[in-house]
Amino acid sequence: MRRIAAGAALITLTLTVAPAPAAAHVPAGVAAVSSSTLSSSALSPLARQLGRQTLPAGDGWASAGPGTTGGSTASADQAHVVTTRAELVVALGGDNATNATNSTPKIVYVKGTIDGFEGPDGTLLDCTDLADPGYSLQAYLAAYDPAVWGRVAPSGPVEEARVRSVTNQTRHTQINVGANTTVIGLRGARLTGLTLMIDRVSNVIVRNITFDDARDCFPAWSPTDGEAGNWNSQYDQVSVRRSENVWIEHNTFTDGDNPDIAQPVHFGRPYQVHDGALDITHTASLVTAAWNRFDGRDKLMLIGSSNTVGPDVGRLNVTLHHNLFDGSLQRLPRVRFGQVDLYNNAYRLAGDDFEYAIGVGVQSAVYAENNHFTLGTGITAADLLYDWGGTAITTRGNWVTPAGGLPRPVDLVAAYNAVHDPDLSPDAGWTPTLRHGPVLPAPLVPLVVGPLAGADRLPL
């Protein structure tokens, strides 16, 4: 055991002090910023270098095709330091309604906390400021109580007002990102109350940011979602849709002081104000998410949003490595259609509401290798997979540490098949080739990933 711990310490030290493997040369004059943002004189040379770093060759699916370089070629006047929502929108192109079409290479350094609910004058709005005059939660609950309305989808004036309210919030708290962009946080950077939307673009990098509480002011009641109905919310913290070559690295995803467990119960179901942390949907592909930390959430990561066989076939190819999934309950991830490489991730799973870790969905092809699962009381290896209509998953070299037990290797498919029907096949039909650096033995994974995953681990 001493030998394993020493090896982990050496790997940790190496990863911490080693220079970034694919840091690009920093041209003279990178310090310049636009007049709408803070002076970049506060940026260290290393921060400027990391802002221009590109995804290393072979580092997961996002390295396929042209690779992922983000804003590394940005001109001097397209390097920005931002501290407010208004400055963030300006740095991303100037108009949130059209920023998704802005493909000018740009680097956006986030400093401090930026709140998606900031108004034009910098004051914070609340849900009532974004609500349509015809909507209130009290009116919604009175109109669509299943005891009165029945178990059919809401319709009529109050539901229409809720939809208009959602449109208002989307315009304000959904921040659109264009192609050829790097968004990178300085130490302590936090984006709260907003969705970073990456839709219909390519070549985007998001690094070193804490994403906090992307809350939905106007959740929808879905009476036929499950046996008792469910509340469903709109906003992810980061949403990747219809996009390619996206690198999400060293971020932290959390609900902060507004956790799901603190929400009220309406119509007998939890009032769900959060959706996913990082969702990859609507034909998106070629995404690498690495060294991120996901803390204590319910729904975490959806890869593929529909069971419909169509445009998603051959897409949704994602690599997840060296991420820490800490205390989350489901979708770690849930996968449809894609070839998803899941290796060297650390899972800390606990709680009575835990549902599953890896969701095997329609035509999914997950390759799960050398991950480590630390299990709380009542959770067994048989609970780690869930059949969402898929048929196969490859699992190799994974380990579990049961509650009160010692770490041991586990065959995840065999453990699942021993207590569930129908069986899953142990062969997903492909072998990953896009991996950067050595694949750690599973016993080392929690020792390395635990201290190094998440925001504020880069020297910024």
Side-chain angles (χ1 to χ4, degrees):
M1 190 65 182
R2 288 181 180 176
R3 187 174 299 174
I4 291 177
L10 178 61
I11 293 172
T12 300
L13 181 62
T14 302
L15 289 171
T16 303
V17 304
H25 172 68
V26 181
V30 69
V33 297
S34 76
S35 60
S36 65
T37 56
L38 294 176
S39 167
S40 64
S41 61
L43 293 177
S44 68
L46 187 54
R48 297 171 193 170
Q49 183 182 36
L50 287 172
R52 293 187 180 271
Q53 187 174 9
T54 62
L55 177 68
D59 191 350
W61 277 110
S63 67
T68 303
T69 59
S72 61
T73 62
S75 59
D77 64 343
Q78 289 295 331
H80 311 267
V81 180
V82 300
T83 63
T84 67
R85 177 190 176 280
E87 289 178 351
L88 176 60
V89 169
V90 168
L92 289 169
D95 183 350
N96 196 42
T98 60
N99 279 352
T101 64
N102 187 309
S103 60
T104 302
K106 63 192 77 70
I107 305 170
V108 181
Y109 295 90
V110 177
K111 183 176 181 180
T113 297
I114 294 178
D115 196 315
F117 282 79
E118 284 182 13
D121 61 355
T123 59
L124 288 182
L125 307 177
D126 61 24
C127 291
T128 58
D129 295 311
L130 299 174
D132 182 87
Y135 175 86
S136 72
L137 178 58
Q138 183 178 4
Y140 194 86
L141 294 176
Y144 304 116
D145 186 333
V148 177
W149 181 260
R151 293 205 170 271
V152 295
S155 61
V158 181
E159 169 63 9
E160 291 165 3
R162 187 198 67 82
V163 172
R164 291 193 297 270
S165 301
V166 170
T167 299
N168 294 340
Q169 181 175 352
T170 299
R171 288 171 179 163
H172 197 84
T173 66
Q174 178 177 295
I175 305 299
N176 299 310
V177 179
N180 307 316
T181 299
T182 294
V183 182
I184 185 168
L186 301 177
R187 182 161 295 276
R190 181 178 294 264
L191 295 179
T192 185
L194 61 77
T195 296
L196 208 61
M197 177 60 71
I198 303 167
D199 189 8
R200 295 183 174 90
V201 301
S202 62
N203 195 28
V204 174
I205 296 172
V206 180
R207 305 179 75 192
N208 202 48
I209 296 171
T210 294
F211 290 91
D212 174 28
D213 190 19
R215 59 196 177 277
D216 189 340
C217 290
F218 315 105
W221 171 242
S222 302
T224 59
D225 181 1
E227 293 183 2
N230 274 306
W231 291 94
N232 289 304
S233 56
Q234 172 99 353
Y235 304 104
D236 306 319
Q237 294 174 313
V238 176
S239 182
V240 182
R241 303 179 180 182
R242 294 170 284 250
S243 298
E244 288 189 342
N245 295 103
V246 178
W247 182 28
I248 310 291
E249 194 245 13
H250 268 115
N251 303 287
T252 295
F253 297 84
T254 174
D255 292 330
D257 60 1
N258 188 33
D260 290 325
I261 59 172
Q263 305 309 317
V265 172
H266 295 305
F267 302 160
R269 299 296 296 158
Y271 189 63
Q272 179 59 266
V273 300
H274 300 117
D275 198 14
L278 168 61
D279 278 7
I280 301 162
T281 60
H282 297 82
T283 74
S285 199
L286 307 185
V287 178
T288 296
W291 297 103
N292 301 291
R293 180 178 181 128
F294 300 89
D295 280 341
R297 305 189 84 250
D298 181 4
K299 302 172 184 177
L300 199 75
M301 185 183 302
L302 191 62
I303 301 177
S305 55
S306 169
N307 288 344
T308 303
V309 177
D312 281 333
V313 175
R315 309 284 297 173
L316 301 169
N317 295 330
V318 178
T319 298
L320 304 174
H321 69 81
H322 298 93
N323 299 289
L324 174 60
F325 300 102
D326 192 3
S328 294
L329 303 181
Q330 61 175 311
R331 301 184 181 180
L332 315 177
R334 176 179 173 179
V335 182
R336 297 175 171 98
F337 298 106
Q339 291 184 339
V340 174
D341 185 14
L342 191 68
Y343 74 93
N344 276 175
N345 298 284
Y347 292 79
R348 300 173 183 165
L349 307 175
D352 294 338
D353 294 326
F354 172 77
E355 296 193 26
Y356 66 92
I358 305 169
V360 183
V362 174
Q363 294 188 23
S364 63
V366 176
Y367 196 103
E369 183 172 14
N370 288 27
N371 302 288
H372 186 278
F373 301 83
T374 300
L375 308 182
T377 302
I379 302 174
T380 72
D383 302 319
L384 299 179
L385 305 182
Y386 191 91
D387 182 357
W388 283 108
T391 59
I393 176 173
T394 299
T395 63
R396 297 181 55 193
N398 301 289
W399 281 53
V400 296
T401 300
L406 297 175
R408 59 177 175 81
V410 61
D411 183 332
L412 294 177
V413 174
Y416 175 88
N417 288 345
V419 296
H420 297 93
D421 288 313
D423 284 359
L424 293 171
S425 164
D427 183 4
W430 73 294
T431 301
T433 59
L434 295 171
R435 290 178 175 175
H436 179 80
V439 177
L440 300 176
L444 287 182
V445 168
L447 302 177
V448 174
V449 173
L452 291 181
D456 294 333
R457 301 303 191 267
L458 297 177
L460 280 153

